[in-house]
Amino acid sequence: MKLLVINAGSSSLKYQLYDMTDESVLAKGLVERIGMDSSILNHKATGKEEVTEVSEILEHTTAIRKVLDKLTDKEHGVLNSVEEIQAVGHRVVHGGEAFKGSALVTGDVKSEIRRLFDLAPLHNPPAILGINAAEKNMPGVPQVVAFDTAFHQTMDEKVYLYPIPKVLYKKHRVRRYGAHGTSHDYVSKVAAKYLNRPLEDLKIITCHIGNGASLTAVKDGKSMDTSMGLTPLEGLMMGTRSGDLDPAVVTFVMNKEELSISEVNSMLNKHSGLLAISGSSSDMRDITDGMAEGEPNSTLAFEMYEYRLRKYIGSYAAAMNGVDVIVFTAGVGENSVVVREKVCENLTYLGVEIDPELNKVRSGDPRRISTPNSKVEVLVIPTNEELMIARDTYRIVQENN
Ligand code: AMP
């Protein structure tokens, strides 16, 4: 079965075409600047030359049509006709409490995703645009949605509730939902396979640290706790997001600076984190370069980031009463030797010991960076959310056949 995985943003659309007979990627690409004057389509079929095309793409339906044109193009394509695509899988950020796993798209499913617009105003609306656009371009082809929140639906009430008046949960479903679930789910499964141990026997802390960052305590293969909350703002210090702070900071700053709700939201989501403390960049590469040159603001930004990350690892070891495996993944986790080194340097009380040489090795494959003496296995595992979505799509389409 060939299937297309789509990750639609408000002005972008990422895609990967899979052949599920061997889970190979036949082609992938990205459409950017949808709705703006010159949209960019970047397409790469496996074994063929990459192609970039600039044209006017005003909405998602046209974006998908252009993608399908590329997939069936004589020179750059991999399909003889669009009919070869037998299913489409979509990434959706928020599944609320309704979705505990991926689901076949129906009218009811779409209505539920729309109902959740309030909880993910930036992310769920484009997902609906993507679904509708795929339906228009590929009528009758089954579509599946995979939610970033679904993996965390196993969290216990004592973990997901905030200690605030319960009426807010009853009326507005204010609670912790988490995010990056597809990634935490994927890397914890790969970790167990890599170690050749049953997932159900392991206490794993998965560190998905990219531009957005979250940690999950995975016990018995299930998410027991995760650092993101009602929205992806809670938890770790991130590229441009603050992560945890005293909630009173929000009202205090709004009052003193006369900020509106949208201004304070923008401050916490777009102008905080590494960017705010370094004063120059949200990118960990720039931060570690600055630190290597002795630049004080980058050094402080790094130290705060590492300290907060390490405290979360400690708290999840406490939550699970131990930890067998720590996994690093996503942009920073997979690539930053110095972040992994500094975090692990201060986890010796847990019995963590990493091998500095193994930590430096670069590879696209899962790998161990801990020493044989380490009481905790420390792994670097490249995440693959698209593959996870492709697998769910394949399974659900088969089940509904
Ligand atoms: P992601 O959101 O997973 O795509 O991660 C993006 C982030 O990964 C970037 O903003 C960088 O901060 C970080 N990153 C990518 N490559 C490196 C690297 N070689 N060293 C440190 N950080 C990196």
Side-chain angles (χ1 to χ4, degrees), residues 281-349:
S281 175
S282 61
D283 191 312
M284 186 51 84
R285 285 165 287 204
D286 298 331
I287 303 297
T288 47
D289 286 353
M291 185 167 70
E293 289 159 14
E295 202 278 302
N297 293 328
S298 299
T299 307
L300 177 62
F302 180 90
E303 286 175 351
M304 286 174 66
Y305 183 97
E306 182 275 326
Y307 179 70
R308 285 170 167 249
L309 173 55
R310 181 156 43 92
K311 279 207 299 186
Y312 255 104
I313 294 177
S315 71
Y316 283 177
M320 294 191 287
N321 191 17
V323 51
D324 302 308
V325 190
I326 297 174
V327 179
F328 288 100
T329 192
V332 177
E334 289 167 33
N335 296 298
S336 181
V337 173
V338 59
V339 167
R340 295 193 301 256
E341 180 189 299
K342 293 291 174 199
V343 167
C344 293
E345 211 173 84
N346 288 294
L347 295 175
T348 46
Y349 76 100

Side-chain angles (χ1 to χ4, degrees), residues 190-296:
V190 174
K193 200 162 170 212
Y194 178 87
L195 297 168
N196 206 11
R197 291 173 64 182
L199 183 58
E200 296 70 28
D201 291 354
L202 293 172
K203 295 170 181 173
I204 310 178
I205 299 176
T206 48
C207 311
H208 177 111
I209 42 177
N211 214 354
S214 66
L215 245 67
T216 298
V218 183
K219 197 170 172 224
D220 309 328
K222 295 187 187 114
S223 171
M224 178 183 164
D225 199 350
T226 195
S227 61
M228 284 178 168
L230 175 73
T231 76
L233 188 54
E234 189 179 336
L236 299 166
M237 176 171 165
M238 308 178 214
T240 62
R241 283 175 240 164
S242 64
D244 293 341
L245 38 79
D246 180 346
V249 168
V250 179
T251 45
F252 184 87
V253 171
M254 284 177 86
N255 184 33
K256 289 280 177 198
E257 297 287 318
E258 295 180 15
L259 297 185
S260 67
I261 291 173
S262 79
E263 282 166 338
V264 81
N265 262 333
S266 164
M267 178 195 94
L268 296 170
N269 281 289
K270 297 187 183 149
H271 305 284
S272 295
L274 289 173
L275 178 63
I277 302 300
S278 71
S280 53
S281 175
S282 61
D283 191 312
M284 186 51 84
R285 285 165 287 204
D286 298 331
I287 303 297
T288 47
D289 286 353
M291 185 167 70
E293 289 159 14
E295 202 278 302

Side-chain angles (χ1 to χ4, degrees), residues 17 61-62 82 91 115 134 163 165 183 203 214 237 246 255 274 276 301 308 312 322 324 350 374 390 394:
L17 182 72
T61 306
T62 317
V82 173
R91 177 189 178 208
R115 238 176 37 83
S183 176
K203 295 170 181 173
S214 66
M237 176 171 165
D246 180 346
N255 184 33
L274 289 173
R308 285 170 167 249
Y312 255 104
D324 302 308
L350 288 173
S374 182
Y394 182 64

Side-chain angles (χ1 to χ4, degrees), residues 118-160:
D118 259 5
L119 288 174
L122 298 179
H123 295 108
N124 273 23
I128 285 286
L129 291 178
I131 295 166
N132 287 342
E135 281 176 347
K136 271 190 202 143
N137 280 287
M138 291 170 270
V141 174
Q143 315 224 17
V144 169
V145 274
F147 300 92
D148 276 22
T149 49
F151 181 58
H152 302 302
Q153 279 296 302
T154 48
M155 285 193 293
D156 193 74
E157 189 182 42
K158 71 170 181 282
V159 177
Y160 70 67

